[in-house]
Amino acid sequence: MKCKEMRELLSAYADDELSPQQRELVEKHLGGCSDCRKRLKGDEWVQKQLSSLQEAPLMSNFTRSTISKIQESGEKKNTRTVRRRLLVAVPLVTIVAVVAALYPTVLSLNPEEVIAKAYAATEAVTSFKVTFSEAVKTAGMTSWFDSSFYNIEWVNEDQYHYSTGTYTPHSEIELIMLFDKIYSRESPSLAPLRSSRLEEEIENCINGGNLNSLVSKEYTLAFLDSLTSISEINQERIDGVTCRHYSAQRDVEKIIAQLKERIYQNGGDPSDPKLEGIYDLFRRTQRDVEVWIGKDDYIIRQVTYTMQPVVQGSNLISGGITKFTTKYFDFNIPIVIQPPLDSARNLLPDWMVTERE
Amino acid sequence: MEESTAVASMKAGNVNDFAVIIENYQVPIVRYLYRVVGDQDTANDLAQDTFIQAYKAIIKTSPDLHLKSWLYKIATNNVRQYYRRKSILRFVPFSDHKNSLISSSQQQSSDIERNIEVRRALSKVPLKIRTCLVLHFVEGFKYREIAVTLGISEDAVRMRVARGREIFRQVYGGGETE
């Protein structure tokens, strides 16, 4: 056996994880190979280094605090009113009629033309609601695990309202972005799990962070613009609207160019060498997209987006597959984002307010 | 109280008996998470989430549940979720891990410095390989146990541990290498 083929076995040999036959094979090889003896020493050295990491930085009242969170969540669960997700099918008769008049149905459009029309129609939308959810399938598993969601009312990047959380354990945060103020609360009906979650979300909003990039119109347009290898599948109805349905890929170089532009606009340096790793991760990720476009109005209705690492060892999502589902609805129905204030302009209970600089 | 008794008692609705399980596993679970994510507060948060999820799900588990593997499995899933939030959803990585790795070290000694170097090198190892390294070298799992915990084959574990050693050695840049 060659030394290269021996490497995996040597590591397992150092860990005492070989069958007697494999052991014998390795020992025989080691007897005649000084390179592998050296390598074995190296393997044992790594073992020693890593084994030195034994201490655990436990917080002082870990058990008590965990138990009380469990109890809190149990009590609240009993009284909680079930919050339904915002997703409601709304007939789009009016918009469909208007937009259909502008875009007479053309039967023989190729996919690229439809996507171009979808771009224009979506660009013309003045407001919409979105739900965004994330499901995960970890390596070796066959079923999807729903992990987190966003329900968003989007007007523009200075005015939006959303709730977000995780399914298991069920947690929820609500935020209202209104120009220079961010109002936020943890869902009063559910136990807070991680105090840092809310701060993270607020910080994201201040930085013009993830929400913009997930569901804003700007992002949606950039998304449509990046589609490539588009092919038509069967038509489907989404929330009662017949949709053209396509599978596609995303042009990764275009995504990177968009990202660079975004970094530049946010005052960063897109050529910072530290970002190369990120760009590289993008290139090492396979993206499969399905998109549903309203048959008559060409407005984007739904996207599913599956990401998985192309190359083994990418630490992007650790070998698992992540599937995002975005649904767009309630187009052009004026959305007014109201601050959580009472008639005397005092903050409602449970809410806090953060100033954007 | 024995673990199995505690599990049975919990299934009967006694929350406080879950304390036995938390007491038994808090140190290893926090240590594991800390080694994988490199930040104390995050490790403690994720560990709490792990126990809360375990509590909620334990009623539905079968009597022959292997509690230890199961807890590490939940913890590992939490890590994945954490990194997904950090690295994908944030999209633009301006506020990257601010206080990871080094912030917790206030004392100065060569041991601690070396420890920081080891941790830094470990953090460069891709997540799925890193989880294997930590489970094996820090938590003392046999390959078989890692395979069960992560739902992969023993061969895959062996490959990851060997590959992890290699990457670690390259990044650390020390030791008796070839």
Side-chain angles (χ1 to χ4, degrees):
Chain A
M1 195 180 245
K2 288 182 188 154
C3 296
K4 203 172 174 189
E5 294 161 9
M6 193 49 70
R7 287 184 181 176
E8 215 177 276
L9 289 180
L10 277 177
S11 161
Y13 178 81
D15 294 342
D16 197 17
E17 290 274 1
L18 290 181
S19 68
Q21 294 87 337
Q22 288 170 318
R23 254 193 111 71
E24 207 185 313
L25 188 75
V26 171
E27 280 168 359
K28 208 169 143 195
H29 179 89
L30 280 172
C33 180
S34 63
D35 278 354
C36 282
R37 283 199 298 273
K38 254 190 184 171
R39 176 166 272 278
L40 177 64
K41 273 200 171 166
D43 281 352
E44 286 164 351
W45 171 84
V46 173
Q47 178 163 7
K48 203 174 137 204
Q49 299 307 312
L50 289 171
S51 308
S52 71
L53 298 174
Q54 292 287 348
E55 88 285 9
L58 198 65
M59 64 188 194
S60 53
N61 54 353
F62 188 91
T63 305
R64 209 176 51 236
S65 130
T66 309
I67 290 282
S68 68
K69 279 185 181 174
I70 289 172
Q71 285 169 331
E72 251 170 64
S73 83
E75 281 158 19
K76 296 198 172 164
K77 200 172 162 188
N78 295 335
T79 56
R80 102 174 174 226
T81 50
V82 178
R83 287 174 66 93
R84 283 250 156 238
R85 296 172 60 181
L86 293 172
L87 186 61
V88 185
V90 174
L92 292 158
V93 181
T94 329
I95 310 158
V96 170
V98 172
V99 183
L102 296 173
Y103 295 96
T105 312
V106 181
L107 291 174
S108 57
L109 285 177
N110 69 34
E112 283 74 19
E113 287 172 307
V114 173
I115 297 298
K117 276 178 173 288
Y119 189 101
T122 305
E123 193 171 28
V125 165
T126 54
S127 66
F128 56 85
K129 295 183 187 172
V130 187
T131 62
F132 175 89
S133 60
E134 187 193 7
V136 186
K137 190 154 75 177
T138 50
M141 305 293 279
T142 51
S143 56
W144 292 95
F145 169 71
D146 288 329
S147 60
S148 60
F149 62 86
Y150 282 82
N151 297 315
I152 305 124
E153 295 181 293
W154 176 266
V155 178
N156 58 40
E157 60 181 18
D158 289 318
Q159 297 178 70
Y160 52 78
H161 169 206
Y162 73 103
S163 59
T164 175
T166 53
Y167 293 111
T168 320
H170 192 171
S171 67
E172 201 165 318
I173 294 168
E174 193 175 358
L175 277 100
I176 295 173
M177 160 73 83
L178 215 47
F179 302 107
D180 58 348
K181 291 190 169 58
I182 300 167
Y183 300 92
S184 58
R185 67 169 172 177
E186 303 200 70
S187 169
S189 61
L190 297 163
L193 277 175
R194 299 237 313 272
S195 55
S196 57
R197 238 337 269 294
L198 190 61
E199 287 159 25
E200 260 179 53
E201 286 293 339
I202 294 169
E203 192 192 320
N204 274 336
C205 288
I206 292 173
N207 293 338
N210 72 34
L211 194 64
N212 286 358
S213 48
L214 293 177
V215 299
S216 66
K217 193 162 90 179
E218 181 201 15
Y219 176 75
T220 305
L221 294 174
F223 173 87
L224 285 170
D225 189 39
S226 71
L227 297 182
T228 173
S229 315
I230 311 160
S231 57
E232 187 153 16
I233 329 176
N234 53 320
Q235 292 192 353
E236 277 184 4
R237 286 174 81 78
I238 301 285
D239 295 339
V241 177
T242 304
C243 290
R244 296 166 189 267
H245 177 193
Y246 299 92
S247 71
Q249 302 285 315
R250 293 191 71 191
D251 177 345
V252 70
E253 292 309 323
K254 206 161 213 173
I255 299 176
I256 292 169
Q258 289 166 352
L259 175 61
K260 286 183 173 173
E261 175 66 15
R262 188 187 293 272
I263 290 169
Y264 180 75
Q265 284 174 2
N266 281 283
D269 173 12
S271 58
D272 186 339
K274 275 184 280 181
L275 291 166
E276 275 312 320
I278 305 289
Y279 303 147
D280 211 33
L281 272 184
F282 275 59
R283 292 192 180 97
R284 284 187 290 149
T285 303
Q286 186 187 327
R287 301 175 165 76
D288 296 311
V289 173
E290 278 182 66
V291 58
W292 288 258
I293 307 288
K295 184 169 179 288
D296 295 312
D297 62 14
Y298 294 97
I299 297 175
I300 191 168
R301 287 304 196 294
Q302 181 171 297
V303 172
T304 63
Y305 186 179
T306 313
M307 291 172 83
Q308 58 186 312
V310 181
V311 184
Q312 277 221 334
S314 157
N315 63 359
L316 182 58
I317 31 184
S318 65
I321 308 177
T322 307
K323 182 164 77 182
F324 305 117
T325 303
T326 311
K327 281 189 135 190
Y328 301 83
F329 56 102
D330 281 11
F331 305 102
N332 300 335
I333 293 172
I335 294 171
V336 180
I337 308 290
Q338 297 280 9
L341 302 173
D342 64 19
S343 52
R345 309 293 294 166
N346 293 318
L347 209 56
L348 295 173
D350 297 327
W351 286 89
M352 57 181 255
V353 59
T354 311
E355 295 279 343
R356 264 166 111 193
E357 23 179 292
Chain B
M1 186 185 290
E2 295 246 340
E3 239 168 50
S4 53
T5 322
V7 173
S9 162
M10 284 194 43
K11 287 188 177 185
N14 299 317
V15 185
N16 286 322
D17 290 339
F18 194 57
V20 175
I21 290 164
I22 299 177
E23 291 287 344
N24 284 356
Y25 288 102
Q26 56 183 332
V27 172
I29 292 286
V30 170
R31 180 175 57 209
Y32 168 59
L33 289 166
Y34 179 45
R35 291 309 163 216
V36 176
V37 301
D39 176 75
Q40 298 190 15
D41 294 341
T42 307
N44 275 289
D45 279 350
L46 293 177
Q48 281 205 326
D49 287 359
T50 299
F51 286 112
I52 293 168
Q53 282 162 275
Y55 174 79
K56 288 182 174 165
I58 206 162
I59 295 169
K60 289 176 246 159
T61 56
S62 76
D64 57 354
L65 170 75
H66 191 288
L67 186 64
K68 183 176 159 191
S69 291
W70 186 63
L71 288 173
Y72 277 90
K73 189 179 222 161
I74 298 175
T76 306
N77 281 335
N78 282 335
V79 170
R80 288 179 179 140
Q81 216 172 324
Y82 167 75
Y83 276 107
R84 264 197 319 281
R85 281 195 65 79
K86 282 277 181 208
S87 64
I88 301 179
L89 296 188
R90 188 154 292 188
F91 201 75
V92 182
F94 289 126
S95 42
D96 219 9
H97 310 163
K98 297 176 290 273
N99 44 4
S100 61
L101 298 176
I102 301 175
S103 64
S104 58
S105 148
Q106 271 130 24
Q107 307 162 50
Q108 290 295 322
S109 77
S110 67
D111 252 12
I112 287 187
E113 276 165 27
R114 191 181 54 104
N115 204 283
I116 290 171
E117 281 307 313
V118 173
R119 282 152 53 189
R120 199 205 304 274
L122 184 60
S123 77
K124 303 283 185 212
V125 177
L127 181 62
K128 76 178 177 186
I129 293 179
R130 185 157 82 228
T131 48
C132 280
L133 288 186
V134 175
L135 284 173
H136 182 61
F137 293 117
V138 183
E139 298 308 315
F141 276 48
K142 304 297 278 181
Y143 289 4
R144 174 95 208 93
E145 295 174 290
I146 300 176
V148 170
T149 301
L150 300 182
I152 57 179
S153 70
E154 266 185 80
D155 281 346
V157 174
R158 193 174 71 193
M159 192 271 281
R160 288 186 195 181
V161 171
R163 181 86 190 100
R165 274 188 155 105
E166 186 116 16
I167 298 170
F168 179 86
R169 215 179 312 177
Q170 282 165 10
V171 179
Y172 193 95
E176 294 93 315
T177 49
E178 61 262 76

